[in-house]
Every structure is written in structure tokens, then in C-alpha cells.
Amino acid sequence: MYDQLRAHPSHAAMTFDQMLERVRYEGAYPTRERAAEAVHTVLAALGRQVTGDERVDLAQSLPLEAALSLTAQIPDVEHPTGWGFVKDLASRTGVTPALARWDTGAVLTVVARLAGPDLISRILRQLPGGYALLFGQAELRQAEPAA
């Protein structure tokens, strides 16, 4: 089921080099190597969170090198909030939460452009609160009804 290619419109097809340059610009990184490090670590972390058709479709919207970082990870059973995602990334990479948040925003805003609004909406419905801001989107959640 997951190894079948899906036809999807390419919203902003770009090469991995173009993606790195975009992330480098978004994150104001001094080198392409630093941008590549951010791309690989953030996409690996995201690969532990996104499952199902959304995972397959997201991988297909990314350049091959980025898709491999995403899909090389086995999805976790539990999904942290957006802030929990950032804290987990910080602890795994040995950086401060502020730097992990910076990296996450720089990478995921570019990923959101590549994936397009429909796919990002599907992914955000799958994840707990707090991820929309990481993708550069407004956090629009309905209030829980009072019991």
C-alpha cells in the first residue's frame, strides 16, 4: 500500500540544493552544511510523528534526499505536542530548545510550501496541538465543549 506512487500536483517542485538554499535563507544559517543539518534532523523528528497516507504524500512532495530523512524513521506510538516535539528534538541533538525551535521553523515553513495547504491541513489534523505554528500556520483549533 505505501510503496505505490500517488499522483499529486507538485506545488513548488525544487531540488534538494534549492531546498537547502531556501532553508538557509529562512533560518539565516551561515553555511549550506548548517542548513542541511537542520533539514535532516527536523525531518527525521517529523518522520517519527507523521503516519499513513500523509507520510507517503509528504515524502513524495519533498526532494529525494529530504524524503529519505523523513521516511528512515519508525513512527512513534505517542505524539507529543508541538512544544514537546521541539523539546525532544533539542534533547536528541544536544542543542537548546530555542535553537531547536529555530531549526524547526526554518525547515517546516519550507516543507509547508512544498507540501501545499491541503496536505499540511491533513497532517495537522493527525497531530496534537502546537504543530501549526511550527509549519508557519495559524493554530486554529475548536474549543472543547464544556462538560
Side-chain angles (χ1 to χ4, degrees):
M1 166 163 82
Y2 291 116
D3 51 4
Q4 296 177 354
L5 293 177
R6 287 178 171 47
H8 64 83
S10 179
H11 298 284
M14 65 174 66
T15 67
F16 187 64
D17 287 338
Q18 291 169 327
M19 181 182 186
L20 289 182
E21 284 304 315
R22 191 72 209 156
V23 169
R24 183 177 176 193
Y25 175 80
E26 291 289 334
Y29 297 117
T31 63
R32 286 175 45 97
E33 291 75 21
R34 178 64 186 93
E37 179 184 329
V39 166
H40 290 299
T41 58
V42 170
L43 288 178
L46 186 62
R48 291 188 290 275
Q49 305 306 317
V50 179
T51 60
D53 289 343
E54 290 74 19
R55 179 183 174 97
V56 173
D57 292 345
L58 180 58
Q60 288 183 341
S61 69
L62 299 173
L64 178 62
E65 297 89 339
L68 291 174
S69 292
L70 177 86
T71 58
Q73 304 303 309
I74 297 171
D76 288 340
V77 176
E78 294 188 27
H79 302 290
T81 64
W83 179 238
F85 175 86
V86 169
K87 289 193 304 186
D88 180 62
L89 181 61
S91 70
R92 287 176 187 262
T93 58
V95 300
T96 66
L99 184 55
R101 172 61 180 95
W102 184 270
D103 289 348
T104 301
V107 173
L108 294 185
T109 55
V110 174
V111 168
R113 283 189 217 119
L114 286 167
D118 293 338
L119 178 54
I120 293 302
S121 293
R122 289 175 30 219
I123 290 169
L124 291 175
R125 282 193 296 272
Q126 184 183 92
L127 297 170
Y131 281 86
L133 295 173
L134 301 177
F135 281 96
Q137 310 285 314
E139 183 78 31
L140 302 174
R141 296 243 181 209
Q142 293 182 354
E144 298 288 327

